Amino acid sequence: MSTPARVLVLNSGSSSVKYQLLDMNGGERLATGLVERIGESTSRIAHSPSHGARREHTERIDDHSAALRAAAAELARDGLGLDSPELVAIGHRVVHGGLRFTEPTLIDDKVIAEIERLVPVAPLHNPANLLGIRQARELRPDLPQVAVFDTAFHTTMPEYAARYAIDRATADEHRVRRYGFHGTSHAYVSRKAAELLGRPYEDTNVIVLHLGNGASASAVAGGRCVDTSMGLTPLEGLVMGTRSGDIDPAVVFHLARVAGMEVDAIDELLNKKSGLVGLCGDNDMREIRRRIDEGDDEARLAFDIYTHRLRKYIGAYLAVLGRVDAVVFTAGVGENAAEVREAAVAGLDGLGLAVDPSRNAVRGGGPRLVSPDGARVAVAVIPTDEELEIAQQTFALAGAGESGSEGAHESRREGGRESGRQSAVEGHA
Ligand SMILES: Nc1ncnc2c1ncn2[C@@H]1O[C@H](COP(=O)(O)OP(=O)(O)O)[C@@H](O)[C@H]1O
Ligand SMILES: CC(=O)OP(=O)(O)O
Ligand SMILES: [Mg+2]
């Protein structure tokens, strides 16, 4: 038996923290948890140790630092405290890495300053990521801490996909361009898609639809991202839980000039009061489906707008890629909402895309095809696992120390990814 080497992963969202503790040598997920409704009077903490019963309670959690302390307390109750010598590294999902970070990066004061500099382009996410990082460094200053960036996977986009058609000098001075997000998920899922199809990753073209609370699409050609729907910030593209996705940018001027709204109010409108919640008052697809079944027209229209946007992006990325081997649905909505998958490809038979109703209706389970046999383009559901991917990248880099990213990639492939994959797939929060 090899010595346990634990990695803690923190995935901080705007109002939640998902965490996981993994043993990278044994390949076991030791505990998973979620702290949600951070900043509200009753935050919820749900914690699932792999050897023990799930626990849940509510308590007031003011910010992401307090969330990490609460997670640490839960882990300590299971004998998995952060003070353990078996904990070898902490990995952080960081949403915006700009152009500076194209690889997992060991965190030091300079890296923190750079993440801070990018706060204006990820105002909902980077501040939360920073609070988690600072608290983790306070709890374990001796440990390597690694930032894994949502933007990293998208840095391979060709310039004609990444550059907006606006004045060059202005764009360059203010670094205005398409960065793309959810990259850890797009990378993981596109690789898994190639495995599912039994094809070499380098020769597989995939459209990934990551549909969680935030949602984004990507076109991946032979393992390289060639286009993605999110832009300078995670606001562009698909309709999301609370974000508008694509709109005419002149809507902003119109609201400022005609409705007299301040820029911060418009920002809040488009990021927090739009998307599904703006259209029908609910951002949870389960609730929207329930309302549709009761004949609710507002919910129906919200669903139709959401799936119409998906269809447009599938069509666009079929054209971008030319040949597509699979369209893959992932994250909370993509993995669970069969009706969304069905509606997203409805009428696209002529393009080789369809779902098989009985396959599509199957709930749960691992990677699976939902298209009929012999379909020109496979349609698949592949559960994402950002935390596992972050743990493996963190472990590889922490193990490789200061020796540079080449070495980190070698050991990532050998030590990290393969060992963690098999048994670490259970008990995903
Ligand atoms: N069984 C389900 N059926 C339909 N939608 C679901 C189901 N479970 C979760 N969802 C959707 O998934 C969303 C959360 O997705 P998730 O990937 O966890 O988001 P995030 O990581 O952005 O918080 C929920 O808001 C809900 O809309
Ligand atoms: C970048 C982004 O939108 O992340 P999330 O889906 O976690 O909000
Ligand atoms: Mg997510």
Side-chain angles (χ1 to χ4, degrees), residues 111-131:
V111 170
I112 289 181
E114 196 70 12
I115 297 169
E116 183 106 57
R117 196 181 60 73
L118 292 159
V119 163
V121 280
L124 299 183
H125 295 92
N126 273 29
N129 303 152
L130 281 167
L131 284 172

Side-chain angles (χ1 to χ4, degrees), residues 71-90:
E74 290 300 324
L75 288 164
R77 279 183 62 186
D78 299 317
L80 300 169
L82 266 57
D83 51 356
S84 163
E86 289 174 4
L87 184 66
V88 296
I90 302 181

